[in-house]
Amino acid sequence: MKHFLAVYTGTQASHDRSGWDRLSEARQTERRAAGVRAWTEWGERHAAAIVDSGSPLGKTKLVNREGITDTTNHLVAYAIVKAEDHEAAARLFEEHPHFSIFPGDGVEILECLPLPGTDR
């Protein structure tokens, strides 16, 4: 089995399109609870494929030749899954609660390749 990094993305545009801020506080609370339940159910359905369930991501620092600076990106969380191939890994995230209930943008799936010259 190959390993894949799943990166959950979110943008202000996806947040705006979702209409989240136009929901009442009570409706946001209901939707958040439904999203947490759906995410938990997703995790249970795909437990055999989940290597690391991941976590939300915080603020970003960029380190390069010029030093260390604060920066921004669209990365909001990650997970690591295993699957036979890239397509199978991507199919795990179809209709994921991150974007079907929550105002997330999508999930990018990247194959974790072996280090050159090693067996890992």
Side-chain angles (χ1 to χ4, degrees), residues 10-98:
T11 61
Q12 188 61 50
S14 68
H15 186 87
D16 293 345
R17 274 192 313 271
S18 76
W20 189 270
D21 291 334
R22 293 186 301 276
L23 298 173
S24 68
E25 189 173 322
R27 183 66 184 119
Q28 283 182 16
T29 299
E30 290 171 6
R31 199 156 158 196
R32 193 174 293 110
V36 169
R37 279 192 308 275
W39 203 307
T40 299
E41 291 166 1
W42 177 88
E44 290 168 353
R45 275 194 317 278
H46 300 294
I50 297 172
V51 175
D52 179 346
S53 59
S55 69
L57 299 171
K59 296 182 186 244
T60 304
K61 297 265 187 205
L62 173 66
V63 181
N64 59 24
R65 293 172 208 223
E66 285 76 41
I68 301 171
T69 57
D70 292 332
T71 190
T72 60
N73 57 48
H74 302 297
L75 311 179
V76 297
Y78 81 95
I80 300 174
V81 298
K82 60 184 174 182
E84 289 296 324
D85 58 38
H86 209 161
E87 185 69 26
R91 281 195 306 271
L92 294 170
F93 294 89
E94 289 179 315
E95 300 303 317
H96 192 281
H98 172 67

Side-chain angles (χ1 to χ4, degrees), residues 1-17:
M1 291 274 208
K2 298 177 179 183
H3 285 190
F4 298 87
L5 174 65
V7 181
Y8 300 86
T9 60
T11 61
Q12 188 61 50
S14 68
H15 186 87
D16 293 345
R17 274 192 313 271

